[in-house]
């Protein structure tokens, strides 16, 4: 039986340019040599990478937030998430920071839930989604919010309700959808959540220092 596993590969790039550079991301144009020898142009967004946290409490509820997302003109229910702002940043540390800043929560148990490329046909963004358990309120003052986050709502929703909403087409945020369904899938395995990787597991898409 053939092993189904993504593998690293890099086709030859004969020319590259960066026609746009934004605050956090940029657009790159590469001329790529195809297997038949032709050269085609590929435009894609260059992204630093992200982390997201599916924080699960003792009542089997997930910490979610509702935030306006201008590109899709919707308020989406999401799980806490944020950019890897520092090159080589440890993703666990970034996830802990985002959970604190967006939900004012800390967790005693962390595992890697899954790693995904959000839109590999047009963006190199890689996201690591963590499962965080043993939740408690964070100490100190809440993090000051601004811009879209100033209008953010927080809630705790049962896992089964989120699964229902995903399958009904009512919830659309990538990290929430992937995280919730990955949690359900992990629970269905023989080893359950013990099958999940440790929080410091290697991440080839975004190498980091322990």
């Amino acid at each position: 039986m053939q092993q189904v596993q993504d593998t690293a590969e890099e086709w030859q790039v004969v020319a590259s340019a960066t026609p746009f550079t934004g605050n956090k991301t940029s657009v790159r144009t590469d001329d790529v040599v195809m297997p038949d020898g032709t050269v085609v142009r590929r435009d894609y967004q260059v992204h630093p990478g992200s982390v997201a946290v599916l924080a699960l409490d003792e009542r089997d509820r997930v910490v979610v937030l509702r935030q306006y997302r201008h590109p899709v003109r919707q308020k989406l229910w999401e799980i806490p998430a944020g950019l890897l702002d520092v090159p080589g940043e440890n993703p666990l540390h970034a996830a802990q920071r985002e959970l604190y800043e967006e939900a004012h929560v800390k967790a005693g148990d962390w595992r890697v839930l899954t790693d995904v490329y959000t839109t590999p046909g047009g963006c190199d963004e890689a996201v690591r989604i963590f499962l965080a358990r043993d939740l408690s309120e964070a100490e100190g003052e809440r993090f000051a919010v601004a811009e879209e986050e100033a209008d953010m709502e927080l809630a705790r929703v049962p896992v089964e309700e989120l699964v229902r909403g995903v399958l009904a087409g009512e919830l659309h945020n990538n990290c929430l959808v992937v995280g919730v369904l990955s949690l359900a899938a992990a629970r269905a395995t023989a080893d359950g959540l013990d099958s999940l990787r440790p929080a410091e597991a290697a991440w080839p898409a975004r190498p980091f220092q322990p």
Side-chain angles (χ1 to χ4, degrees), residues 35-153:
D36 64 0
T38 60
V39 176
V40 301
R41 181 156 291 178
R42 293 288 180 260
D43 301 317
Y44 59 99
Q45 183 184 23
V46 178
H47 194 285
S50 306
V51 291
V53 185
L54 195 147
L56 189 66
D57 72 12
E58 73 284 353
R59 293 170 56 186
D60 209 42
R61 300 177 304 174
V62 176
V63 176
V64 293
L65 50 95
R66 188 169 180 245
Q67 188 170 346
Y68 176 67
R69 294 301 187 183
H70 186 70
V72 295
R73 308 301 199 271
Q74 288 191 18
K75 273 192 170 183
L76 301 180
W77 284 103
E78 308 177 352
I79 56 177
L83 297 174
L84 290 168
D85 293 311
V86 180
E89 182 177 15
N90 187 310
L92 174 60
H93 299 166
Q96 292 169 334
R97 179 188 68 235
E98 293 302 328
L99 185 61
Y100 165 75
E101 291 182 356
E102 295 194 344
H104 202 63
V105 167
K106 63 181 181 178
D109 183 86
W110 290 82
R111 298 287 186 95
V112 174
L113 190 52
T114 192
D115 299 325
V116 294
Y117 292 113
T118 55
T119 50
C123 180
D124 70 352
E125 181 184 15
V127 180
R128 169 157 282 187
I129 304 177
F130 290 90
L131 173 66
R133 293 176 291 177
D134 187 19
L135 305 185
S136 60
E137 293 298 315
E139 297 90 355
E141 297 293 324
R142 291 189 65 91
F143 184 78
V145 296
E147 300 175 350
E148 289 93 343
E149 292 182 352
D151 189 47
M152 195 165 60
E153 305 170 44

